[in-house]
Amino acid sequence: MVPVTYYLALSAILFTMGALGVLIRRNALIIFMSVELMLNAANLAFVAFTRTFEILDGQVFVFFVMAVAAAEVAVGLALIVAIFRSKRSIDVDQMSSLKG
Amino acid sequence: MEELFKLVPLVVFLPVIGLLVNIIFGGRMGEKAIGAVASAASGLAFVVSILLGIALWTGHGEAHVVPFADWIKIGTLDIPWNFRVDTLSVTMMLAVSCVGTLIHIYAIGYMHEDVRFKKDEKRYRRFFVFMNLFIAMMMILVSGDSYLMLFVGWEGVGLCSFLLIGFWYDMDTLGRPSWANANAAKKAFITNRIGDFGFLLAGMAMFWYFGSVQFGEVFGIAEQIAAAQPGVIVAITLFMLIGVAGKSAQIPLYVWLPDAMAGPTPVSALIHAATMVTAGVYLVARSWPLYSLVPNAQYIVAMVGAVTALFAATIAVGQYDIKKVLAYSTISQLGFMVAAVGMGAYVAGMFHLVTHAFFKALLFLSAGSVILGLERGHHHLAHHDSHQEGHKGHEDVFDPGDMRNMGGLRKRMPVTFWLYLIGTLALAGIFPFAGFWSKDEILLDARLHYPGVYWLLTIAAFFTAFYMGRQIWMVFFGKPRHEAAAHAQESKPIITAPLMVLAALSILGGALNLPFEGFHNLTHWLEHTIEGVEGLPLNWGVAGLSTLLALIAIFISWLIYGRKPLETGQKDPLKKPLGFIFTGMENKWFVDEGYQAVFLKPYTAISRFLAEVVDWRFWHDWFHEKVIAGTYNWLSNNVLSLAIDTRGIDAFFNGLGALVKQAAVGLRRIQNGFVRSYALAVLLGVVVMLGYLLLK
Amino acid sequence: MSVDLILFIILALVAIATAAGMLLSRSAIYAALFLVLNFATVAVFYLILNAPFIALTQVTVYAGAIMVLFLFVIMLLGSEKLPKTENLPWQRPLAVGLAVILVAETVYLLLFRNADTATIQRAVESFGNPQAIGEFLFDKYLLPFEITSVLLLVAMVGAIVMTKKEKGGQE
């Protein structure tokens, strides 16, 4: 079988790419999707560990993560829509009125 | 009888009560009441003195020490205030209070006119307060049991002398606004101070070597100290001589007494003739145990007295002011007294002290009467003239004491004339007046022990008779030389009555110590206190010579002044024959001018220098302003304020603030509002933490 | 070189490629579609890892619901072109650098700090099936389950409130 290390490495790579996406892209939706990617990578790590240690707690946790992610996406997208209404743009760089 | 001794504090405190009553209630009492209170205080002190004398008499003259109060108590040092009642002190008390009371009564009338003439009635009360203060102080002096108490009284009478000489402090003797009287008072005080310095040195030396200043203790161990360190006794006695020279107006500190005539005449009589100036004589008499151990010092004292007697007598010959003549006469007679006690003839000295008090007071008070008479005449004239038109009033400066303005007063003021004559005869030493007996005793003692002193004193006696004769002829005989004299009026009985008592005492005073067997009363009396005195029998040679000389002197004075009386404006007949000698006599041998040049001018120059240059220019202007204030200002402005505060502390804290501001400006740029950069920061944090955990 | 490994490698490459595609695509729709593919790949991974329930949940929830929601929103407002001006010039290099470091750290961690590199055993049939998960879910994790339901409710309400048009408001 594939050692769990490989799965972890993959998870790490996906996570890093998600982080990169958050940092580099300016489109709010893309950033959001990158966040989902990061969550996904974490889920992968959870499931891999579940398989290694033969306990199901990890999978239940993934279940919860997904639920939360769904809720989060809902609210987040609602936010983006609301912001779009006032700013007419989804460029996160435009939302810098908290500039100190 | 023992109880009577306890009354002795009253001699001090009765005059104190008198002066307090006058101070507190005097404003509401009239002139007569004030004078009566003061005279009563003095009179009651006299009564107490008599009682003390009686107590001593019945107690066979033993000395009594009456403790009064503790004064100085420091550790083992104990100097109390005790009263000493012995024959010597009681003699002084009687003389002071008797003459003092008579003068107080006289002063009631005299000051009534004097304050009116000088146009300041309010000072009447002040006069009697000071007079009572003087009596109190003099009593402290003579009744003290230690040199310290004596010194307290000594200083006290000096103070009263100052206050009373400068009684009319804003005028001169003629009533014009001036510093003259105040200066005379100052001169008296300062000259006395020099004498007091000598006294203090004596007192300190005494305390150092004897360990005490109480009479009993000092005299008890005097012989031991003399045997161990004779120089100490010599030093003490000579320092005391300086004090005597100051207080009793001997050479070289006599210069204050003639100027002291600026005070009212009762003051001159009481203080400067009868009582205060005799304090020095009393001091020497009291210190007889010390003086008898040092014959050398005794000689010096006697010579000082004798030389002073002659010196002052010569000056008196050339004086024109009636009181000045008497002042120099006082100095001369004090010289007699000091010479007497210096020679060891304590009884003779004390005898002369008492008789001199009588006739000198009489003379001064009579002179006061003469002056008042002239003032009245002058006043009468001024009033009289102002009623006439076109006639110039005599309001210009008029000196009522100048003998050149007098003359012929025998007819205008007969009572005063007879009184004055009695005083003159007593002073000249004519038999059987009091002065004859006392002066002859001194001369006899001098003849036996100190021939030089004897001759000096005899010549002085000659001059004494001469100038007194001169005075009589000039004042009372001849024609009046001034309008005021022509209109002079006799004095009231309140003025002449005390004088009559004094005249009686001057006539009968010789009975105190007649030099005949069984009569040496004063000698026997003082023997209880002063050991070794003996009453000498009358020496007809000495007595006869002195009387003859006096009569010759009076005759010569009549030749010069009596036969051809002086005319108005005529110069003194002695001026031409004696030439520069008379000029010297007239001008007091220029002693005052000499002192001025030698001591006073340099002293004033030095003090001016110290005050202006050293104190003001150097110390204040330069040192204080530039050095101290300047340094301080420089320090506070430049160093502390500018360098440390502004550049240092302020800069530091301002710098801190600036630093924070810069940091804030710098750090503010992190808050750029971009979410992406915040996310980058988060990732950075994660990476760093992970790295740290890995590398741990 | 077993079949599992080859399968793993191919799927891993696909996952990474789709992730990269999502990152780099200019258009948002393409990015979303790439992400969908990524999710599908990860679902397959779950199947390999004996988590069938999770795999299907992944497809249903993630790819089916979440991504559809994304696509809706993208179609609403995501298709505009972003301006070219760059406000944060150093952002990109720094981000890449940090990412590289992160990967390096992970590699280091996995290679040198690995305690157990045991291979995975063959598991039982009923390891990850819904019945087993259900037993866990309603037994041990009941409280989180209920709270998650509340969470979902809150999210729903929130989303509706936020996107509601204000009556005469600042709109």
Side-chain angles (χ1 to χ4, degrees), chain B residues 672 674 676-677 680 683-684 686-687 690-691 693-696, chain C residues 86-88 90-91 94-95 98-99 101-102 105 108-109 113:
Chain B
N672 50 16
F674 297 127
R676 290 197 290 151
S677 60
L680 185 66
L683 186 63
L684 180 66
V686 169
V687 168
L690 200 58
L693 285 171
L694 284 179
L695 292 172
K696 205 154 74 83
Chain C
E86 184 58 66
N87 287 320
L88 300 167
W90 36 262
Q91 173 86 346
L94 236 129
L98 279 177
I101 293 173
L102 194 59
E105 281 175 356
Y108 170 75
L109 180 64
R113 297 291 189 91

Side-chain angles (χ1 to χ4, degrees), chain C residues 8-83:
Chain C
F8 173 79
I9 290 174
I10 293 171
L11 283 173
L13 285 173
V14 171
I16 293 173
T18 51
M22 185 211 81
L23 281 183
L24 299 172
S25 66
R26 289 282 123 220
S27 161
I29 304 244
Y30 290 166
L33 292 173
F34 271 122
L35 195 60
V36 171
L37 275 176
N38 191 46
F39 288 161
T41 317
V42 170
V44 175
F45 269 123
Y46 291 158
L47 278 174
I48 295 176
L49 286 172
N50 283 105
F53 177 71
I54 301 297
L56 284 174
T57 316
Q58 167 95 346
V59 171
T60 321
V61 171
Y62 257 110
I66 294 177
M67 290 322 295
V68 167
L69 202 53
F70 258 110
L71 281 167
F72 270 130
V73 176
I74 288 170
M75 280 185 235
L76 256 179
L77 33 102
S79 51
E80 60 188 273
K81 289 286 179 255
L82 296 169

